[in-house]
Amino acid sequence: MDKINFFPDNLNVQDKKVILRLDLNVPLTDKVIRDYTRIDLCLPFIKRLIEKKAKIIIISHLGRPRESKDPAFSLMPVYKYLKKTLQTNVYFFMGKFDDEVKEKFSHLKKGEVILIENIRFFKEENENDDNFSKKLGSLGDIYINDAFSCSHRKQASVHKITKHVKISYAGPLLKKEIDAINLVIKNKREPVTCIIGGSKISTKINVITSLLEKINNLIIVGAMANNFLVYKNLKVGKSLVENNTKEIIEKIYNKALENNCEIMIPEDCMVGTSFEGEGKNKDLNKIEDNEIILDIGSNTISNIKKKLNNPIQFCGMGQLDTLKMKILQMVQGQ
């Protein structure tokens, strides 16, 4: 982790085209943003690049669209928020990445921003297509990855794009996450507790098994926890689950046993029949077939609180912004 090339704040980027890979994967309901946290975390760095008079090209994803150009997964609401928040011209690119795409971006002026529509609308993104990566890379002089949550994925805008840009850096948000992990791994004060969320176990198995050798408690939350509940023969209703994870979960439990690491999964949760509203708190054995797990429950939050020291040191993966805030508020008595 020490060999990562982090963006130097004193770098002269004036008049340079900077490709900025961000995580703007915010929750939406009827095209309305329900939580601005992920965007707000990115704003200071975007504003700094604007002040430095860079030409900023933002790439991000939103959800997992099954069909190209699915309007439910459009970044248009994010674009509108950026346009309202940033004191500069902000544009939205909804076109194709054809042979003329470089010319289309050449009119961007110093200090201006262009947000590309959901990069996962292009199948070449998930395929890590080299030609698509080349077209993306051709848009900029500098590439900065500040999307920690998807940096483990072999996708065009994260992986192969670095072959086609002269200079590549990791951004300040990614540095903050790496510093937090290093704090746990190199300067740990036992007991160390790691909270992992997200949805897929298969993409995080190597990280999880590695962490199990260095931590004392592993707390599984988010949609990933659903797979552990299914493994325990508990019903999760219509909640998101990943197929064929039994062997992976067995490997995790065996590795945890070898290293005397306790694994904690939710014992209750907030459920509803849709993603709208706050839901109601239920024990796991009372989830109905038509219900969806929306969040961890109050007993689970209390159990997590007991595992954490104060000040809290998180080693987190996945969509944990809301969880972090919730636990911090409980610990601080807010």
Side-chain angles (χ1 to χ4, degrees):
M1 289 186 184
D2 293 330
K3 296 179 180 179
I4 295 175
N5 191 24
F6 292 110
F7 177 79
D9 196 50
N10 61 351
L11 184 69
N12 181 12
V13 294
Q14 182 170 328
D15 209 25
K16 300 288 186 182
K17 290 177 290 182
V18 176
I19 302 171
L20 188 55
R21 180 56 165 98
L22 299 178
D23 179 5
L24 304 177
N25 186 24
V26 293
L28 298 176
T29 300
D30 296 328
K31 301 181 182 179
V32 176
I33 300 173
R34 292 191 285 114
D35 186 345
Y36 294 90
T37 303
R38 289 196 170 194
I39 308 175
D40 289 342
L41 287 171
C42 297
L43 288 178
F45 188 48
I46 297 174
K47 291 178 179 178
R48 201 149 78 241
L49 292 175
I50 291 171
E51 291 172 1
K52 288 173 171 285
K53 300 187 184 304
K55 301 174 181 179
I56 305 154
I57 300 165
I58 298 176
I59 300 176
S60 183
H61 69 281
L62 198 153
R64 294 186 175 87
R66 295 181 180 180
E67 299 177 10
S68 62
K69 310 296 183 182
D70 185 340
F73 294 93
S74 174
L75 282 171
M76 178 61 78
V78 176
Y79 160 68
K80 290 180 178 178
Y81 183 67
L82 290 176
K83 189 175 179 64
K84 181 179 69 173
T85 307
L86 298 173
Q87 302 299 312
T88 188
N89 291 327
V90 182
Y91 305 100
F92 194 43
F93 180 74
M94 303 172 66
K96 298 180 180 179
F97 285 90
D98 50 26
D99 294 335
E100 288 78 41
V101 69
K102 189 174 181 180
E103 171 63 22
K104 295 174 184 176
F105 281 73
S106 65
H107 303 290
L108 197 64
K109 297 177 182 177
K110 290 184 281 189
E112 293 185 338
V113 177
I114 185 166
L115 172 65
I116 295 174
E117 175 62 291
N118 191 344
I119 198 65
R120 289 184 180 172
F121 280 177
F122 303 90
K123 63 182 180 61
E124 296 90 347
E125 163 72 359
N126 291 328
E127 294 170 355
N128 201 18
D129 183 82
D130 191 65
N131 188 49
F132 184 67
S133 300
K134 188 175 182 179
K135 288 178 180 177
L136 289 177
S138 71
L139 301 178
D141 305 302
I142 299 170
Y143 171 79
I144 303 173
N145 180 4
D146 214 14
F148 175 79
S149 65
C150 53
S151 293
H152 61 294
R153 298 188 182 279
K154 287 189 175 181
Q155 295 179 338
S157 68
V158 175
H159 185 232
K160 285 191 177 179
I161 188 174
T162 57
K163 291 169 42 181
H164 305 292
V165 185
K166 292 180 182 178
I167 311 172
S168 297
Y169 296 104
L173 290 178
L174 199 148
K175 184 178 187 301
K176 185 183 258 187
E177 296 281 2
I178 296 299
D179 288 345
I181 293 173
N182 281 334
L183 183 68
V184 172
I185 294 174
K186 297 181 178 180
N187 305 301
K188 64 181 180 180
R189 291 186 297 114
E190 294 190 351
V192 176
T193 298
C194 177
I195 302 176
I196 295 185
S199 58
K200 288 194 172 184
I201 309 174
S202 56
T203 58
K204 298 184 177 77
I205 179 63
N206 291 332
V207 175
I208 294 173
T209 52
S210 176
L211 281 172
L212 289 171
E213 300 174 357
K214 303 174 178 69
I215 63 176
N216 306 97
N217 306 297
L218 177 65
I219 300 174
I220 309 291
V221 295
M224 184 185 295
N226 299 340
N227 301 287
F228 284 79
L229 299 179
V230 171
Y231 178 80
K232 297 282 187 179
N233 294 318
L234 293 164
K235 293 183 178 181
V236 296
K238 297 189 298 181
S239 307
L240 178 67
V241 292
E242 185 180 2
N243 295 325
N244 304 317
T245 60
K246 182 179 178 181
E247 291 185 5
I248 294 174
I249 294 175
E250 284 182 351
K251 182 178 179 179
I252 291 171
Y253 273 116
N254 290 335
K255 189 76 172 181
L257 186 63
E258 290 175 14
N259 291 277
N260 197 29
C261 178
E262 180 182 349
I263 294 180
M264 179 190 294
I265 61 175
E267 69 171 49
D268 63 342
C269 53
M270 302 295 295
V271 302
T273 55
S274 71
F275 289 105
E276 298 179 4
E278 295 183 358
K280 51 187 176 181
N281 207 113
K282 275 193 172 185
D283 291 336
L284 295 175
N285 58 2
K286 296 181 179 179
I287 298 177
E288 304 291 339
D289 291 341
N290 66 331
E291 290 179 324
I292 305 167
I293 296 176
L294 304 173
D295 202 350
I296 56 175
S298 56
N299 290 338
T300 302
I301 293 173
S302 296
N303 290 337
I304 293 174
K305 176 187 170 184
K306 293 173 185 177
K307 288 290 182 184
L308 301 177
N309 288 327
N310 197 7
I312 299 172
Q313 293 181 352
F314 282 98
C315 180
M317 293 178 62
Q319 300 182 25
L320 299 178
D321 303 315
T322 303
L323 176 65
K324 288 181 183 180
M325 186 62 67
K326 189 177 293 183
I327 295 170
L328 282 168
Q329 288 173 345
M330 289 192 68
V331 171
Q332 295 168 355
Q334 297 180 0

